Amino acid sequence: MEQPATVGRAVRPLGEDPEALEACVGETLTVRVTLDEHGTVTGWNAGAERLLGYSAGQLTGRPAADLLAEPIPVRGGLPTLAGLSRWNGDVALRHRDGRKLTVRILAHHRPAGVDAPAWLIVSALTGRQPSADLDESLVSWSFAQSPCCAQAIYDTRLRLLRANADMERAAALTEEEMRGLRVSEIIDDDAGERAERSMLRVLRTGEPQYDENFLRAPGETHEHAWSVFVSALRDPEGVIRGVCLSAHDMTEQLWARERLQLIAEAGRHIGSTLDVTRTAQELADVTVPVLADLVSVDLLAALDDAPEPPARAVPADGPLLLRRVALRSVTPGAPESAVAAGAVDSYPEGSTPFESLRTGQPVVHRASDPAFRAWLAGDAGRAARVRAYGIHSVMAVPLAARGTTLGVVFFLRHRNQETFRHDDLVLAGELAARAAVSIDNARRFTRERATAVTLQRSLLPQRLPRQAAVEVASRYLPAGGHAGVGGDWFDVIPLPGARVALVVGDVVGHGLHASATMGRLRTAVRTLADIDLPCDELLTHLDDLVVRLNTEEAGDGERSAAASAETSGDVGATCLYAVYDPVTRRCCFAGAGHPAPAVVRPDGTVELVGLPAAPPLGLGGLPYEATEVVLPEGSLLALYTNGLIETRDRDLDTGVHLLREALARPAASLDALCDTVLDDLLPRRPADDVALLLARTRALDANQVATWAVPPDPSAVALARRDVVTQLGQWGLSDAVFVTELVVSELVTNAIRHAEPPIQLRLIHDTTLICEVSDGANTAPHLRRARTYDEGGRGLLLVARLTDHWGTRQGTTGKTIWAEQTLPPAVRSHLP
């Protein structure tokens, strides 16, 4: 049956009062019935009583099926109806007086769990038909007054017939002024021609058309984004009688989308590195030209030298000093900027950046604002650029992170004629806040990295010691990426007997902890080398030390979270230890998980020393083995850390191949060769630390070494003294006879009395004079102070007082006691 609506009546706008709403809609004009899931009536309004004659008290709690005059016409019956979310159709109902009524209903099935009845059934009651005049008037009014879009109706000649109020505002013309014109004549723009072509396609095909364009209405400063729909208007027979053009203003949605895209773009690009300048430049690059025509990032000049930002961003007295670290403009070279990138400028009280940092809030000014003009009045150069380039709108946004003010970001517009709005200020604040965190992270990383580099360089040799066994050159490069400073180190340690120890090591990890651990291991290696342990035994002791460090780290439960993060994981390290003897030209190598050293023979042949496989330091309980190699004089040793040959872009074998090629290349000096190796193998910013130590071997001439076998007889002491005096005379060291004769006498006498054969005496004439006495016993002598009436015990004390250095070292078949004297420069210059 027909369901007419009520006749419209003139009303004034309503408030949000529920009673006013109820009075407006008329509760009795709609049947509203609610049912539970079982079909029992739970709600019955006055409209339902008016339709069927039952009161709410009579029907509530009864099955709704009792009201049916005929079954509900649903395919599949009631079970199908229960599975629907909504149903509508005609239902035959029985009136209280027995009449059958056909009622059109709309039934909503609410989901389970909703705090409401399962079914809501509604139906409009019968009433008077609306008048045709009112219906037509409402349709006409809805078109003319529609607030949702700009609409215009064109005839089949594409001439405008009607335009609503929004279209009049968009075109800045009245309907009367546009009537009879084509759209391309109303809008003298490419968008008008595109719209006309779309309208023509609609007339030909009947298919709706869609387009997007940007237009600026006369008298407005900014463009609007329009979403345009063109559709056919048909008569009841389907014949196209006209075209409707609907344009929706999507400017706000477009701006919101662009802001979200800019924030997403900033998240992807700002903070890609831990470099302060590059991070600031990323902020400027992202925001030009989307948000501003010129953007500069200025940091407090006080940050240049201070480890922490000042307590007050704005000085109590005097101007504000800012350093421009980043700059980007739509104009090449940024000529409109009064300050060049990298320069420091002064900003007085009352200036835009001064006030922004003083209040901690963003500041926006037009060029005509009194405060902005007052600032420019005292800065002729800046004022000239504002006038020359037409800068009309400025924003200054503080850069602050973790409660610390870092600087300010300037946003300027001159090519974009729109002034900055509140939404722009909010967006700039969001971008500046994100960038400030990244800049602060970069600043902290830079500070900590500088601290770690300083610590590590202080722990590395400041200058390589003077010794005659090898000519050395070295390089150390800290990592250039995010990883930070590592624990690579190298060392050159002079040993008794004119020998030298060469060391290269690498602590696992990066940062201050790795540097500190490296310092501890380097000190341990020097201490162990000082007692002249064999190569393999030294690594075993070093391995024990790393195991103890791991135990200490695991047992320290009071570290802060930051320290725990910095030192997470066990301490681990690799190390290569080599000892070269210029007398025998033998070099002993022992490695602990470290890359094998390279040897360049005098003929240019490059080969890697074959070391036994060995674990890194810190695993504990595993043996280390030594390898001994005889090196011709002039051979080149290359010791390095894995950062030299291992990168993300190439495998280990390729790195080793490149190293061998670089080492084989002729070079003017070892320093030049170091530079060649680094240039050939490393990128501009290596991802890991690199330590490189090159050593060219020297050999002592046979005339510089004298060796005698000493019989285990006290009478041999005098013979030994005589042989030494003769040899010193041949070397031209007559000034050293007295001390050397005394040292030989004491050391040989001790060997005969307290040690075991075989006994050997050796003199080495190098930059120093070394006297060595070897015997077959393993007991080491001890320096002690003799009492007044003691007959012995003064020999080693005399040796210690008369020589520069003395000591003892253990060998495979006994020990060696040595003493060293420094020779005058004149004597050293006449070496063979």
Side-chain angles (χ1 to χ4, degrees):
M1 71 184 282
E2 295 181 352
Q3 302 292 312
T6 58
V7 177
R9 54 194 177 90
V11 295
R12 283 180 289 210
L14 297 173
E16 297 183 1
D17 185 2
E19 294 181 358
L21 177 63
E22 184 176 349
C24 175
V25 300
E27 180 64 22
T28 60
L29 298 179
T30 303
V31 175
R32 292 175 62 88
V33 178
T34 58
L35 310 178
D36 64 13
E37 198 64 57
H38 303 290
T40 303
V41 176
T42 59
W44 188 268
N45 77 337
E49 182 177 353
R50 177 181 170 189
L51 177 67
L52 296 179
Y54 293 99
S55 67
Q58 293 173 317
L59 262 297
T60 302
R62 290 179 56 184
D66 294 347
L67 300 173
L68 296 176
E70 297 176 2
I72 297 177
V74 179
R75 181 179 299 179
L78 291 178
T80 301
L81 185 63
L84 299 176
S85 61
R86 192 180 74 175
W87 182 84
N88 66 290
D90 294 338
V91 177
L93 300 177
R94 185 72 64 187
H95 193 274
R96 184 181 179 186
D97 61 11
R99 290 181 293 119
K100 185 175 78 168
L101 301 176
T102 301
V103 181
R104 181 165 297 165
I105 69 170
L106 175 62
H108 299 279
H109 191 186
R110 292 161 173 165
V114 177
D115 188 17
W119 287 91
L120 169 64
I121 301 173
V122 296
S123 177
L125 290 176
T126 58
R128 293 176 298 169
Q129 292 282 351
S131 68
D133 291 342
L134 177 61
D135 185 57
E136 290 298 323
S137 296
L138 289 175
V139 172
S140 177
W141 295 338
S142 70
F143 168 78
Q145 302 171 23
S146 173
C148 63
C149 65
Q151 287 185 309
I153 296 175
Y154 293 80
D155 62 17
T156 54
R157 297 280 186 175
L158 303 184
R159 304 287 176 170
L160 187 138
L161 297 174
R162 297 287 307 275
N164 70 352
D166 269 10
M167 182 61 77
E168 290 179 329
R169 284 191 292 270
L173 295 169
T174 65
E175 180 185 82
E176 186 65 27
E177 292 169 334
M178 293 185 289
R179 185 176 289 118
L181 297 176
R182 296 162 51 189
V183 64
S184 61
E185 296 168 341
I186 298 170
I187 302 174
D188 185 18
D189 187 90
D190 179 63
E193 296 179 359
R194 293 207 313 270
E196 198 164 66
R197 288 194 295 269
S198 296
M199 295 165 70
L200 183 61
R201 282 193 294 270
V202 169
L203 289 178
R204 291 176 175 175
T205 66
E207 297 293 330
Q209 302 293 315
Y210 174 77
D211 192 16
E212 293 180 351
N213 58 53
F214 297 87
L215 289 173
R216 179 184 288 112
E220 293 191 347
T221 60
H222 65 274
E223 289 184 333
H224 287 256
W226 295 97
S227 177
V228 181
F229 294 86
V230 182
S231 58
L233 297 177
R234 304 173 188 270
D235 62 14
E237 285 72 32
V239 178
I240 297 177
R241 298 297 186 180
V243 177
C244 178
L245 184 148
S246 302
H248 296 261
D249 190 347
M250 307 296 291
T251 306
E252 291 295 335
Q253 294 88 329
L254 178 65
W255 284 348
R257 187 165 65 243
E258 287 180 347
R259 292 187 194 102
L260 291 176
Q261 289 175 345
L262 182 56
I263 291 175
E265 192 79 3
R268 287 193 297 270
H269 292 92
I270 298 176
S272 62
T273 68
L274 287 171
D275 181 86
V276 172
T277 301
R278 185 169 176 182
T279 302
Q281 189 62 49
E282 288 167 347
L283 170 61
D285 293 343
V286 165
T287 51
V288 174
V290 180
L291 182 59
D293 297 325
L294 183 141
V295 173
S296 68
V297 181
D298 294 15
L299 299 184
L300 298 175
L303 293 176
D304 291 349
D305 301 317
E308 288 294 336
R312 291 172 55 94
V314 177
D317 56 346
L320 171 67
L321 298 180
L322 296 174
R323 181 179 296 279
R324 183 148 295 178
V325 296
L327 182 64
R328 180 66 182 269
S329 171
V330 294
T331 308
E336 66 271 44
S337 175
V339 183
V344 176
D345 199 13
S346 174
Y347 298 89
E349 184 176 359
S351 62
T352 302
F354 192 102
E355 294 305 312
S356 177
L357 292 185
R358 183 182 63 82
T359 61
Q361 298 297 323
V363 174
V364 59
H365 283 308
R366 295 185 180 184
S368 58
D369 290 348
F372 189 69
R373 295 177 64 183
W375 173 32
L376 295 184
D379 192 335
R382 197 180 303 271
R385 281 180 167 83
V386 169
R387 290 191 300 268
Y389 293 94
I391 298 172
H392 61 84
S393 191
V394 177
M395 284 193 301
V397 182
L399 278 173
R402 303 179 178 93
T404 300
T405 300
L406 304 173
V408 66
V409 187
F410 283 103
F411 299 87
L412 282 72
R413 279 182 178 173
H414 54 83
R415 183 176 297 178
N416 186 340
Q417 294 304 310
E418 296 183 38
T419 59
F420 288 118
R421 305 182 305 168
H422 176 72
D423 290 346
D424 297 320
L425 200 63
V426 173
L427 176 60
E430 172 68 20
L431 295 174
R434 292 184 176 218
V437 173
S438 297
I439 290 174
D440 190 50
N441 288 340
R443 182 187 64 82
R444 292 169 180 263
F445 169 79
T446 301
R447 181 192 62 194
E448 293 179 5
R449 184 175 183 276
T451 302
V453 169
T454 301
L455 172 62
Q456 187 166 35
R457 290 195 183 279
S458 69
L459 296 174
L460 291 173
Q462 301 304 303
R463 62 182 60 86
L464 297 178
R466 296 180 58 185
Q467 41 74 44
V470 291
E471 175 193 359
V472 292
S474 63
R475 291 292 186 274
Y476 167 72
L477 292 179
H482 290 197
V485 177
D488 293 16
W489 91 92
F490 64 89
D491 211 344
V492 177
I493 308 172
L495 295 178
R499 297 169 303 141
V500 66
L502 307 174
V503 190
V504 170
D506 185 0
V507 175
V508 175
H510 295 84
L512 288 173
H513 180 257
S515 297
T517 303
M518 176 272 287
R520 300 170 77 174
L521 295 185
R522 177 174 178 254
T523 301
V525 170
R526 292 188 71 89
T527 302
L528 295 171
D530 192 52
I531 60 177
D532 221 339
L533 290 177
C535 297
D536 51 352
E537 191 174 338
L538 183 143
L539 290 184
T540 300
H541 283 280
L542 199 60
D543 180 57
D544 293 339
L545 172 63
V546 176
V547 170
R548 288 196 298 272
L549 292 178
N550 283 330
T551 303
E552 292 175 5
E553 293 287 345
D556 185 2
E558 299 180 358
R559 293 177 299 157
S560 65
S564 297
E566 173 74 14
T567 61
S568 60
D570 290 340
V571 175
T574 65
C575 184
L576 177 66
Y577 184 75
V579 175
Y580 174 68
D581 187 344
V583 176
T584 63
R585 293 183 291 105
R586 293 182 177 274
C587 189
C588 176
F589 298 93
H594 201 85
V599 176
V600 183
R601 304 265 177 190
D603 60 1
T605 304
V606 183
E607 58 186 23
L608 298 182
V609 178
L611 298 181
L617 302 172
L619 297 182
L622 299 175
Y624 295 96
E625 298 180 38
T627 299
E628 194 169 78
V629 178
V630 177
L631 299 175
E633 184 178 4
S635 298
L636 179 68
L637 296 176
L639 286 67
Y640 50 90
T641 54
N642 62 346
L644 182 66
I645 57 175
E646 294 183 25
T647 67
R648 298 186 182 96
D649 302 328
R650 65 169 183 250
D651 57 30
L652 183 62
D653 292 339
T654 302
V656 171
H657 177 72
L658 293 175
L659 174 63
R660 297 176 69 163
E661 287 186 342
L663 291 174
R665 195 172 305 162
S669 64
L670 289 187
D671 281 315
L673 184 57
C674 282
D675 295 335
T676 298
V677 171
L678 297 184
D679 291 342
D680 287 359
L681 272 75
L682 296 181
R684 187 176 63 88
R685 295 171 61 88
D688 195 6
D689 284 21
V690 174
L692 173 64
L693 180 62
L694 299 183
R696 191 177 303 281
T697 63
R698 295 168 176 160
L700 292 182
D701 190 271
N703 294 332
Q704 294 178 257
V705 181
T707 306
W708 300 275
V710 180
D713 187 336
S715 63
V717 176
L719 181 60
R721 286 199 300 266
R722 187 184 62 191
D723 292 338
V724 166
V725 170
T726 302
Q727 185 63 54
L728 293 178
Q730 294 176 359
W731 284 341
L733 301 179
S734 57
D735 291 343
V737 168
F738 175 75
V739 173
T740 307
E741 190 176 11
L742 181 59
V743 169
V744 168
S745 179
E746 291 296 335
L747 296 184
V748 172
T749 300
N750 285 342
I752 293 174
R753 287 184 177 180
H754 306 294
E756 300 175 1
I759 301 172
Q760 178 181 278
L761 170 63
R762 185 169 72 164
L763 289 183
I764 301 175
H765 178 203
D766 192 25
T767 56
T768 61
L769 179 61
I770 303 171
C771 176
E772 296 180 344
V773 175
S774 304
D775 58 58
N778 291 318
T779 57
H782 297 282
L783 186 66
R784 65 185 181 87
R785 187 178 297 277
R787 294 185 177 88
T788 303
Y789 298 104
D790 286 350
E791 295 182 358
R794 298 177 179 83
L796 287 181
L797 182 61
L798 289 173
V799 171
R801 288 295 185 90
L802 294 174
T803 60
D804 295 290
H805 307 284
W806 79 279
T808 180
R809 65 176 183 269
Q810 297 292 330
T812 56
T813 59
K815 67 176 182 299
T816 299
I817 303 175
W818 56 270
E820 183 176 314
Q821 303 174 59
T822 301
L823 298 176
V827 175
R828 291 200 299 267
S829 63
H830 290 86
L831 287 174

